[in-house]
Amino acid sequence: MTARESTIEQLEIAAAAALDKGANDLVALDVSGPLPFVDIFLIATGRSERNVVAVAGEIEDKLIEAGHKTLRREGRSEGRWILLDFGDLVVHVFHEEERLYYSLERLWKDCPVVPIAVAAAAQAE
């Protein structure tokens, strides 16, 4: 895995924020091999459009509080697939239907999965 430690720290902040707002099925992929300008994709699922927007908003708020700048934000008005670009970390928050349809995990299946400590701890509880 070649993702930087600073990106993994961002990932943990984003994952904790997503879980706090009820996101599920979190998956992090190390895409630094095929994409030299991004280290990690975090993929999360919301239960409804409203939940997708809330999850993305919480992730963005927590990363901004931690000193990370949002470079780009897409899809917030529809609430079906929101992309948050923080440079080394790109977050995809999907509605369940869009996640199944676009299947980013399948598209990036050759990329290693990055363990998410906060998600593992939440599953253990």
Side-chain angles (χ1 to χ4, degrees):
M1 191 167 18
T2 58
R4 289 175 280 205
E5 189 63 36
S6 61
T7 309
I8 293 171
E9 291 170 9
Q10 287 181 5
L11 169 65
E12 292 296 332
I13 293 166
L19 291 170
D20 284 348
K21 287 297 180 180
N24 55 43
D25 199 15
L26 273 63
V27 174
L29 301 173
D30 183 338
V31 294
S32 60
L35 298 176
F37 50 89
V38 177
D39 281 354
I40 296 175
F41 279 175
L42 172 61
I43 305 166
T45 302
R47 297 175 312 280
S48 65
E49 287 90 350
R50 193 170 175 175
N51 185 231
V52 168
V53 171
V55 168
E58 185 73 2
I59 291 169
E60 190 169 19
D61 290 347
K62 294 299 182 186
L63 282 169
I64 288 170
E65 282 177 23
H68 305 286
K69 182 179 177 187
T70 310
L71 301 178
R72 184 174 10 173
R73 177 187 317 108
E74 307 260 343
R76 179 166 259 158
S77 61
E78 294 85 21
R80 303 292 293 179
W81 175 5
I82 298 176
L83 180 140
L84 301 170
D85 181 355
F86 293 93
D88 295 331
L89 174 68
V90 174
V91 179
H92 302 269
V93 183
F94 284 101
H95 188 281
E96 295 167 332
E97 295 164 1
E98 273 68 13
R99 179 140 181 201
L100 288 172
Y101 180 79
Y102 289 103
S103 189
L104 289 187
E105 295 94 331
R106 186 174 46 83
L107 182 65
W108 296 97
K109 68 182 179 222
D110 294 336
C111 296
V113 172
V114 179
I116 306 170
V118 69
Q123 285 181 337
E125 291 178 353

